Amino acid sequence: MSAHPVDEKLPALKMATSGLQHVAAMYAGVVAPPLIVGAAIGLSGTALTFLTGACLFTAGLATLLQTLGIWKIGARLPFVNGVTFAGVAPMTAIVASAKDKSDALPIIFGAVMVAGILGFVAAPFFSKAIRFFPPVVTGSVITLIGVSLLPVAFGWAQGPNPAADDYGSTTYLTLAGITLVIVLLLRRFTRGFVKQIAVLLGLVAGTLIAIPFGVTDFGPVADAKVIGFPTPFHFGAPQFHIAAILSMCVVMVVSMTESTADMLALGEIVERPADEKTIAAGLRADTLGSALSPLFNGFMCSAFAQNIGLVAMTRIRSRFVVAVGGGFLILMGLCPTVASLIAVVPRPVLGGAGVVLFGSVAASGIQTLVRAGLDKDNNVLIVAVSLAVGIVPITAPDFYHAFPETAKIVLDSGISTGCVTAVLLNLVFNHLGKSGREAQDVTHPMEAGEEIAAAH
C-alpha cells in the first residue's frame, strides 16, 4: 500500500529545490515583522540583523514542529510557520508605550510567552469552538491585518528617517515605485518558481537600482559574522506587563483563528481533511512554537497562507518538503551574514514591495469575506462595524488619547479591536436569540426587511 502524498518522501534534489521554493515564498513575510518592530524601537543595523536571524531560526523550529510533529503536537501537514503579521500592530503599540525603548523587546517577549502557554492549554477547547469563528469573522480580521500594515509600507516608501529633510523626497518615492512596478511585471509575465519569488527578486533589483543614489548601506553585511547563534534572551530577560499580555492574548486568538482556517483549507487541497484532532494538534504546535520563540528572541508564530497557495499550484503535497524548508530557515538563522542581507535593502525599496505584500494579505481577507454569505444583512453589519472599529487607529490615531496608557495598547491595535468586535457581533447576530429575520436575504445593510416593508 503506497503512502499518502502528504507522507511521501521525494528524491533528495526535488526535496531540496521544493523546500527552497517554500522559503522563497515566505522569506519576505518572515523578515517584515522584525524590521517593523526593530525600526520602531530604533535598533542598530547589527541588532536588527540579529533580530531578523532569530525570527528565521524560530520560524524554522516552528515549521519542523508542525510538519514532523511529536506526540499530539503538530498537524503533520505541509504547513509552514513563521512570524505572524497579526502581532505587528500590537507590538509597535507596546513599543510606543514603553518609557525605555530598551525594555520594549523584553516586554513583548514576556507577553508572547504567556500568550503561547495559555494558547497551548486552550488548543483542544479552541478546536471545538471554531463555530464562533466563521468566514465573516476570519475574513474581517485578515482584511484588517493587511489594511493595518499598509501605512507601514507607505512610511517605508518615504525614507528611513521621518525627521530628515529628505523624508518623502521624489528620490525615495521613485525607488518605491520602481520596485513596485518590477514586482508587478514579474508576477504578470513570469511563471513557476520565478513568479513565486517575485517579491524577493523585486527587493534585489530595487536595492541594486538604489546603489547609484547612495541609498544602499552595506555596513550591516560587513559587520555580520558568518556563523552565529541566537543567544537566549539576548535583549534581556522577559518582563511581564498585564496590558501587553492581554494585547498578545488577543493576537493569539487571531493567530489561532487564522491557523485553523488555513488547516481546513490545506486539508482540502492535499485531500486529507483536517478534523478536530488534527486542528488541535496543529494549534498546539503553533502555540508551543510561539511560547518557545522568545527564548531565542523570536516573535509569535503562525501559519503562512501564501505557502498553501504554493502547495495548490505545484501539487507537491509532501510534508517532508516543507520540513526541509524549515531546515533551510534554521540554517539561515544561524548565518548572520545571510540574515544581514535584508538589512541592506533600503526602506523605500521595502516600501514598494510592502504594498504588494501587505495588500495581498488584505486581498486574502476579502476572498474569505466573499465566502462569508454577505447576502445576509447580519453578516454585512458585522463586517461593516468590525472594519470601521478596526480602522479607527489608522484614520484617527489620537481617537483614544483620553484612555489610560495600558488600555491604549489594546485599543490602538485595529486588529485586536476589530477581532473582538467581529466575534461579539457574530455571537449577538448569529448565535444569541436567533430570529426569523436572521435567514432573510438583504442586499444592503440599510435595506428594509419584510416586516418593515409590510408596515408601509
Side-chain angles (χ1 to χ4, degrees):
M1 183 177 179
S2 60
H4 190 282
V6 169
D7 300 317
E8 184 181 4
K9 294 182 179 179
L10 306 178
L13 180 59
K14 189 171 184 179
M15 193 96 77
T17 54
S18 299
L20 278 173
Q21 185 168 242
H22 275 284
V23 172
M26 71 178 294
Y27 184 83
V30 173
V31 301
L35 283 174
I36 298 171
V37 176
I41 296 173
L43 294 181
S44 65
T46 303
L48 192 59
T49 296
F50 183 93
L51 185 63
T52 303
C55 287
L56 289 168
F57 179 79
T58 53
L61 291 179
T63 298
L64 290 179
L65 191 62
Q66 191 67 265
T67 52
L68 302 181
I70 54 172
W71 186 55
K72 296 182 180 180
I73 302 171
R76 293 172 173 83
L77 291 171
F79 206 44
V80 178
N81 276 49
V83 182
T84 174
F85 277 105
V88 173
M91 287 191 292
T92 53
I94 292 172
V95 171
S97 66
K99 295 181 180 179
D100 186 348
K101 297 301 181 186
S102 63
D103 290 333
L105 283 175
I107 293 173
I108 290 172
F109 292 150
V112 171
M113 291 178 71
V114 174
I117 293 171
L118 293 177
F120 185 85
V121 174
F125 305 101
F126 191 91
S127 64
K128 298 178 185 296
I130 192 59
R131 66 191 182 94
F132 297 113
F133 295 88
V136 70
V137 173
T138 57
S140 298
V141 173
I142 297 171
T143 301
L144 279 173
I145 292 172
V147 172
S148 297
L149 291 175
L150 279 172
V152 174
F154 301 149
W156 281 348
Q158 297 180 78
N161 184 8
D165 294 334
D166 62 349
Y167 186 70
S169 66
T170 54
T171 299
Y172 288 149
L173 296 182
T174 299
L175 287 173
I178 291 174
T179 304
L180 174 59
V181 170
I182 291 173
V183 173
L184 293 176
L185 290 175
L186 288 171
R187 291 291 299 179
R188 173 62 181 85
F189 295 106
T190 61
R191 62 175 63 183
F193 184 62
V194 175
K195 185 174 183 178
Q196 286 297 321
I197 62 173
V199 172
L200 192 60
L201 293 177
L203 291 175
V204 173
T207 301
L208 294 175
I209 293 172
I211 292 177
F213 295 92
V215 178
T216 306
D217 178 16
F218 289 96
V221 177
D223 298 334
K225 299 179 180 179
V226 176
I227 300 176
F229 183 80
T231 312
F233 302 131
H234 175 82
F235 295 98
Q239 299 180 27
F240 304 97
H241 292 200
I242 186 64
I245 290 173
L246 289 174
S247 179
M248 296 313 295
C249 281
V250 172
V251 175
M252 179 57 72
V253 172
V254 175
S255 176
M256 292 171 75
T257 302
E258 289 182 60
S259 290
T260 300
D262 288 337
M263 275 186 274
L264 292 171
L266 185 59
E268 294 295 325
I269 291 171
V270 301
E271 298 178 354
R272 180 183 277 183
D275 55 15
E276 186 178 304
K277 181 180 177 181
T278 301
I279 292 174
L283 292 178
R284 287 192 188 99
D286 265 12
T287 52
L288 180 59
S290 295
L292 295 176
S293 186
L295 174 64
F296 300 103
N297 312 283
F299 298 139
M300 188 177 293
C301 295
S302 181
F304 267 53
Q306 57 264 47
N307 291 82
I308 295 176
L310 187 58
V311 172
M313 184 193 72
T314 62
R315 302 302 297 168
I316 298 176
R317 294 177 278 180
S318 172
R319 60 190 173 100
F320 297 105
V321 164
V322 176
V324 169
F328 281 128
L329 287 170
I330 292 176
L331 291 176
M332 293 168 72
L334 294 175
C335 183
T337 300
V338 175
S340 69
L341 292 176
I342 194 65
V344 172
V345 181
R347 291 290 169 80
V349 173
L350 279 173
V355 171
V356 177
L357 189 63
F358 303 152
S360 296
V361 176
S364 297
I366 294 172
Q367 287 177 328
T368 303
L369 287 174
V370 169
R371 304 192 302 270
L374 295 185
D375 54 337
K376 305 294 191 300
D377 63 341
N378 285 354
N379 288 345
V380 172
L381 287 171
I382 292 170
V383 174
V385 177
S386 300
L387 292 181
V389 171
I391 292 173
V392 166
I394 301 174
T395 57
D398 298 325
F399 190 81
Y400 300 111
H401 74 277
F403 284 75
E405 290 297 320
T406 52
K408 286 166 64 177
I409 291 179
V410 177
L411 295 174
D412 283 343
S413 167
I415 298 168
S416 300
T417 55
C419 177
V420 172
T421 302
V423 171
L424 293 178
L425 289 180
N426 180 60
L427 285 172
V428 171
F429 281 97
N430 292 333
H431 290 275
L432 302 179
K434 292 183 178 181
S435 64
R437 179 166 169 75
E438 178 195 15
Q440 181 180 321
D441 290 349
V442 178
T443 58
H444 190 279
M446 299 308 294
E447 179 181 333
E450 290 181 359
E451 67 275 18
I452 300 176
H456 286 280

